[in-house]
């Protein structure tokens, strides 16, 4: 039985060229980038080059990229770093109800530490409204953090409009772009973004590495203390092979972005067409006008998600009920609750399929056949 991996939003396989680049790095460049001798300089050069690749990919300056251990740390650094450095200007933060837990749980801790957080609602398509952002903004708002693409349903938020709205406000604008980066075009200056989180393992790079973009003018404090690495913004000896692997993944995805987006969009349509041909009853969660190409979240009426996921796994399909963090727990997805309300049947019958490297049209057709068989059996 061929296994079909359609859970790329949880994590993605490493690209073979990334693995090669990392093996090379581990063999050749073991120096500490802070050392002044040859070995250190050699490692430093690799980091400098990787930082340039990261900054160019989003239209930022080289010194605006801070390497971190991934999306979670970037989110924590952005939120906590800005909150504690700017609390004399205010203690109000705006975010949404559908953020990743890296944001939501950080906000919960900030609330305990004396900050006030407004959680914006979303409509049935999973979008926030600009009007709601306007209404929530206050003179003492210091930070607005709104994700670019939601990891459970794939909804794209109106990032440039939020950036425009905040131009004349003191609040910094942070976006968690972990699910968007590599598939959507991003220019931080054109979009009015002050801080942005990115993770390597969602774009076929290694796990445990990512970056935070922070505009030169942003005042924020480090959250990890120690040496003077990353211009004193994030202490700790740099993960050189990880950073080089990440930069390699960025170079690859840059070349393949449009082709991949087109393929994933086609897979989404193909999956729905094939399920309809099989006469399976389903609904897409979200509005296709505002969806990132790689994620599709479908609800199958009358199906219980726990048995559905077990059956999918038994039939060789790796999909998910939502974010990797909530998968396996019986709590309904906070994203679907925000979209449809606590009583919705969709909370118990929705599955996320997410496409990526290695998926083919044949796999998607086979996926539809296996899903249809399971739905018929469970009904
Ligand atoms: C939107 C979003 N933000 C943050 C994260 C966390 O990133 P990492 O796994 O690199 O810590 C994820 C990962 O699932 C995500 O999807």
């Amino acid at each position: 039985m061929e296994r079909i991996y359609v859970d790329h939003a949880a994590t993605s396989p490493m690209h073979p060229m990334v693995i090669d680049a990392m093996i090379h790095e581990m063999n050749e460049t073991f120096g500490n980038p802070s050392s002044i001798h040859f070995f250190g300089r050699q490692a430093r050069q690799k980091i400098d080059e990787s930082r340039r690749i990261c900054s160019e990919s989003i239209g930022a300056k080289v010194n605006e990229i801070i390497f971190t251990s991934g999306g979670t740390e970037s989110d924590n650094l952005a939120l906590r770093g800005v909150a504690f450095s700017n609390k004399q200007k205010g203690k109000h933060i705006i975010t949404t109800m559908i953020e990743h837990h890296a944001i939501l749980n950080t906000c919960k801790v900030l609330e305990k530490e004396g900050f006030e957080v407004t959680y914006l609602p979303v409509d049935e398509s999973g979008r926030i409204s600009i009007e709601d952002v306007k209404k929530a903004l206050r003179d003492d708002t210091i930070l607005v953090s709104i994700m670019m693409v939601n990891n459970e349903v794939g909804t794209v938020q109106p990032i440039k409009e939020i950036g425009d709205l905040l131009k004349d406000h003191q609040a910094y604008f942070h976006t968690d772009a972990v699910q968007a980066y590599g598939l959507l075009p991003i220019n931080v200056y054109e979009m009015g973004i002050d801080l942005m989180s990115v993770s390597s393992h969602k774009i076929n790079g290694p796990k445990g590495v990512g970056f935070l973009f922070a505009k030169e003018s942003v005042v924020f404090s480090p959250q990890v203390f120690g040496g003077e690495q990353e211009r004193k913004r994030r202490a700790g000896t740099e993960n050189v092979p990880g950073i080089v692997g990440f930069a390699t993944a960025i170079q690859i995805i840059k070349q393949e972005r449009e082709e991949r987006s087109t393929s994933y969009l086609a897979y989404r349509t193909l999956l729905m067409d094939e399920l309809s041909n099989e006469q399976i009853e389903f609904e897409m969660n979200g509005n296709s006008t505002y969806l990132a190409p790689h994620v599709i979240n479908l609800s199958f009426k009358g199906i219980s998600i726990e048995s559905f996921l077990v059956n999918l796994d038994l039939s060789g399909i790796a999909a998910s009920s939502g974010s990797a963090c909530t998968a396996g727990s019986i709590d309904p997805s906070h994203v679907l609750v925000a979209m449809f309300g606590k009583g919705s049947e969709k909370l118990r019958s929705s599955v996320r399929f997410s496409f990526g490297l290695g998926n083919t049209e044949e796999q998607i057709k086979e996926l539809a056949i296996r899903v249809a068989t399971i739905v018929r059996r469970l009904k």
Side-chain angles (χ1 to χ4, degrees):
M1 174 182 64
E2 187 205 1
R3 290 200 178 270
I4 303 176
Y5 186 82
V6 275
D7 201 13
H8 293 259
T11 195
S12 61
M14 277 169 68
H15 194 289
M17 281 164 67
V18 170
I19 298 174
D20 286 348
M22 289 180 71
I23 290 174
H24 177 81
E25 236 26 69
M26 287 188 272
N27 280 320
E28 305 294 327
T29 323
F30 69 88
N32 184 327
S34 298
S35 303
I36 54 166
H37 49 61
F38 169 80
F39 295 91
R41 291 198 310 277
Q42 194 189 26
R44 164 70 42 213
Q45 198 206 335
K46 294 294 173 139
I47 295 209
D48 289 348
E49 172 63 5
S50 302
R51 200 185 305 281
R52 188 188 56 75
I53 292 166
C54 293
S55 64
E56 279 178 11
S57 73
I58 55 167
K61 294 175 195 151
V62 174
N63 61 0
E64 294 175 324
I65 300 293
I66 302 146
F67 286 117
T68 65
S69 64
T72 301
E73 188 191 329
S74 298
D75 285 345
N76 272 261
L77 176 56
L79 266 59
R80 294 184 67 76
V82 164
F84 285 101
S85 276
N86 294 274
K87 60 181 181 203
Q88 73 291 350
K89 291 196 224 155
K91 287 191 153 192
H92 182 232
I93 295 166
I94 299 172
T95 187
T96 78
M97 291 163 84
I98 62 159
E99 297 296 311
H100 189 272
H101 285 113
I103 296 286
L104 290 178
N105 287 340
T106 305
C107 283
K108 275 189 206 155
V109 175
L110 285 170
E111 283 182 295
K112 286 194 190 128
E113 289 168 328
F115 292 88
E116 198 187 328
V117 184
T118 301
Y119 299 89
L120 298 176
V122 292
D123 62 18
E124 283 224 338
S125 72
R127 294 252 295 179
I128 56 124
S129 92
I130 291 289
E131 275 313 303
D132 283 343
V133 184
K134 266 189 210 160
K135 274 191 234 152
L137 266 181
R138 308 189 321 211
D139 289 346
D140 64 339
T141 308
I142 49 169
L143 178 66
V144 176
S145 179
I146 296 179
M147 70 198 322
M148 197 172 284
V149 168
N150 179 265
N151 46 304
E152 294 192 29
V153 289
T155 321
V156 183
Q157 301 297 341
I159 295 300
K160 185 172 178 339
E161 286 89 325
I162 304 165
D164 288 345
L165 175 71
L166 293 176
K167 256 189 194 125
D168 300 320
H169 194 284
Q170 68 164 6
Y172 291 129
F173 179 29
H174 167 254
T175 185
D176 174 336
V178 167
Q179 292 292 340
Y181 183 81
L183 283 172
L184 302 188
I186 300 176
N187 183 302
V188 284
Y189 278 86
E190 281 171 14
M191 296 166 100
I193 297 166
D194 296 309
L195 300 115
M196 185 172 83
S197 306
V198 171
S199 175
S200 150
H201 73 100
K202 310 287 182 176
I203 61 154
N204 314 118
K207 291 172 182 56
V209 58
F211 69 72
L212 175 70
F213 154 76
K215 222 176 182 173
E216 249 169 359
S217 54
V218 173
V219 179
F220 71 103
S221 49
Q223 298 304 306
V224 176
F225 301 95
E228 299 196 350
Q229 292 90 350
E230 299 297 300
R231 293 171 175 248
K232 300 187 191 170
R233 296 166 298 182
R234 197 269 190 181
T237 302
E238 298 87 339
N239 170 6
V240 185
I243 289 171
V244 169
F246 182 21
T248 308
I250 294 172
Q251 284 173 305
I252 296 167
I253 209 150
K254 196 170 148 195
Q255 281 173 4
E256 296 179 355
R257 186 172 65 78
E258 281 178 27
E259 196 187 316
R260 287 201 195 196
S261 294
T262 312
S263 301
Y264 303 159
L265 273 177
Y267 293 164
R268 191 159 85 196
T269 313
L270 180 64
L271 177 60
M272 290 198 286
D273 287 351
E274 296 285 311
L275 286 173
S276 301
N277 290 344
E278 296 274 346
Q279 316 214 308
I280 297 298
E281 218 188 310
F282 67 91
E283 259 186 86
M284 188 180 73
N285 298 322
N287 177 331
S288 56
T289 320
Y290 306 117
L291 288 184
H294 66 308
V295 180
I296 178 169
N297 193 305
L298 300 177
S299 81
F300 297 88
K301 209 166 178 212
I303 296 293
S304 131
I305 184 63
E306 284 84 1
S307 41
F308 194 25
L309 284 175
V310 170
N311 276 273
L312 283 173
D313 188 30
L314 287 173
S315 74
I317 292 165
S320 151
S321 66
S323 70
C325 312
T326 43
S329 82
I330 43 159
D331 289 344
S333 143
H334 65 287
V335 178
L336 297 179
V337 169
M339 287 167 69
F340 304 118
K342 271 194 183 132
S344 170
E345 210 248 341
K346 289 182 177 178
L347 307 185
R348 289 174 298 278
S349 63
S350 297
V351 181
R352 174 187 73 183
F353 301 100
S354 48
F355 311 121
L357 183 70
N359 287 144
T360 60
E361 214 175 281
E362 287 65 41
Q363 282 188 336
I364 305 305
K365 284 185 188 159
E366 178 60 26
L367 168 68
I369 293 169
R370 293 190 202 172
V371 168
T373 311
I374 295 168
V375 172
R376 274 190 220 107
R377 192 165 60 225
L378 293 180
K379 269 210 162 179

